[in-house]
Amino acid sequence: MGLPISMDVRSAPPPALAAASRAFDWLREVDRRFSPFREGSEVRRCSGDRTLPEHASPELAEIIDLCLRYERDSGGAFRAWLPGRPFDPCGVVKGWAVQRAGLLLHAAGAGRFCLNAGGDVLAVGEPEPGRAWRVGIRHPELAHQVCAVFDVRDCAVATSGSYERGAHVVDGRTGRPARELVSLTVLAPDLTTADAVSTAAFAMGVEGIAWAAAQPGCLVFAVDAERRVHRSPLLDEPVVTPELLAACRGATAAPRSQQEEWPHGSGR
């Protein structure tokens, strides 16, 4: 996937430790099969007209369905099919793949682990009894500092931004790079959702903040191009848990965003 992936598994039974190896094998397989940059990958065999290739695998069908869903829900801002470009599902594949790797671990008996895929995190259970996992959000301008830290338990955190790879996220409605935000983080029950929603919202620009916050079970932390910080009020709670995320399920409007002074130093 062109990015580092790490795994922190706590107090796991032997089957779970064996599953850790299988999880990395799965992620390598995903890179081979679903990278748009690899010759012979399943994705490279897709056409540009959204049709499912003959003999497509169930996994590829699931990926295409996810791409179509977020293209529809974002009004076309998220788009895996751009004119003149090959099919590129990278906006959903990473979170989807890492979420599945987490399911492999959980099915083998691991109840406390954290997967980190280039800054997108799936955190399950607790690293120690009574202590949540702490997830830092990289400062967009100060590479060795964070601008926020969230304590989480049994949820996922994904960030889309322009500070690592430049303006690589394209607004599918215009075909131009999205530049209204510098960073947008989504906390959600699973990494498939967190990754796809953060990518789609970043492509939408400032309007994507409210759109992401209105998605069921999603909380948002964003920094716009004017260096204003927007955050869902529920992020002020000490720990983000599935119960907290459930409190914002089915929202029909975005929660109130708070604009704060731009943090030039580390987060809390």
Side-chain angles (χ1 to χ4, degrees), residues 34 42 45-66 68 81 87:
F34 304 120
E42 289 188 49
R45 296 198 295 269
C46 292
S47 66
D49 60 3
R50 297 171 172 77
T51 57
L52 193 65
E54 188 177 3
H55 307 305
S57 67
E59 292 87 0
L60 179 58
E62 185 175 348
I63 289 167
I64 289 176
D65 283 346
L66 283 169
L68 290 170
W81 297 268
F87 173 54

Side-chain angles (χ1 to χ4, degrees), residues 49-124:
D49 60 3
R50 297 171 172 77
T51 57
L52 193 65
E54 188 177 3
H55 307 305
S57 67
E59 292 87 0
L60 179 58
E62 185 175 348
I63 289 167
I64 289 176
D65 283 346
L66 283 169
C67 290
L68 290 170
R69 170 189 168 186
Y70 283 100
E71 178 178 324
R72 180 190 68 244
D73 291 353
S74 68
F78 177 97
R79 188 162 294 179
W81 297 268
L82 287 168
R85 301 190 188 187
F87 173 54
D88 183 354
C90 289
V92 301
V93 165
K94 179 175 67 171
W96 170 85
V98 176
Q99 180 67 32
R100 282 196 166 208
L103 292 175
L104 283 173
L105 287 172
H106 194 267
R112 297 191 287 139
F113 61 86
C114 181
L115 300 181
N116 186 335
D120 291 348
V121 173
L122 174 64
V124 175

